[in-house]
Amino acid sequence: MRVVICDDHAILLEAMQIALADRGHEVVGTATNPDDAVEVVAQQRPDVCLLDVNFPDGSSLPAIPRLREASPVTKVLLLSADLSPAVVVAAIESGAAGFVRKDAPLHRLVELMALAMEGHLAVEPALLQAALRSKDQRHDPLWVLSFLTEREWQVLRCIIDGYSTTEIAGVLGVQNSTARTHVQNVLTKLGVHSRLQAAALIAAHGSDDIWPAHVRNRG
């Protein structure tokens, strides 16, 4: 993978460049603040941007939409020692593709990068569940839709349209087992136990406006 790293600690930047290169990844740019990261990402259009959360001038979260606009193909993964559910929620709501704890071993960071590239939300299950539990959903039952990846939106559309697992696999171009995994991930994020419950939740609280453009009008 081609990677850009943004962190205000020069030693960490250098160490990560060496470690990722040793695993076959190419660090195509670095930055020490989010503004510079936006410029580097716009120039390099990497597969992944690893972005620290906390900088001397404040949080990097407001830069996430700018990074995604600068390079829509780039997956932004947040690096942080702050594992509070509020930070995880804010990162995902801002458009991050993943959230990695700074004390994670390198092999786990690489695994999460790969998950993000495959279209998954690359967050440790315990962190994701804590984030889901932290949000009061009584006033917005569909808040959890913000946790769906583009692929999972496709799966939800298929669920609502009554597709079987085999039909979902055909739409996605994957094996049945992979399609089943995607379906389970969607159900888990919605907090329901069946496809019927997912359909009922969307029918009760949703509208055409909730759907992203790439799945809204699919026939």
Side-chain angles (χ1 to χ4, degrees), residues 8-23:
D8 61 324
H9 294 93
I11 293 177
L12 178 61
L13 277 179
E14 184 175 349
M16 290 189 69
Q17 287 186 76
I18 295 171
L20 288 172
D22 286 345
R23 288 181 174 261

Side-chain angles (χ1 to χ4, degrees), residues 5-20 27 30-31 50-52 79-80 102-103 109:
I5 309 172
C6 180
D7 195 290
D8 61 324
H9 294 93
I11 293 177
L12 178 61
L13 277 179
E14 184 175 349
M16 290 189 69
Q17 287 186 76
I18 295 171
L20 288 172
V27 177
T30 62
L50 299 175
L51 178 66
D52 192 9
L79 298 172
S80 182
K102 270 199 165 182
D103 61 354
L109 169 61

Side-chain angles (χ1 to χ4, degrees), residues 158-180:
C158 290
I159 290 172
I160 301 305
D161 289 345
Y163 283 29
S164 67
T165 298
T166 299
E167 289 171 328
I168 294 173
V171 169
L172 301 181
V174 299
Q175 299 295 320
N176 281 10
S177 58
T178 302
R180 280 193 293 271

Side-chain angles (χ1 to χ4, degrees), residues 58-79:
S59 171
S60 67
L61 296 182
I64 296 175
R66 295 166 54 210
L67 288 164
R68 297 185 67 206
E69 182 179 0
S71 177
V73 300
T74 301
K75 304 295 184 181
V76 181
L77 272 69
L78 274 292
L79 298 172

Side-chain angles (χ1 to χ4, degrees), residues 49 51 60-69 71-78 87-99 116 120-123 145-150:
C49 175
L51 178 66
S60 67
L61 296 182
I64 296 175
R66 295 166 54 210
L67 288 164
R68 297 185 67 206
E69 182 179 0
S71 177
V73 300
T74 301
K75 304 295 184 181
V76 181
L77 272 69
L78 274 292
V87 173
V88 178
V89 168
I92 295 168
E93 288 184 328
S94 297
F99 192 98
H120 298 286
L121 184 61
V123 182
L145 295 179
S146 63
F147 285 87
L148 298 186
T149 64
E150 288 188 11

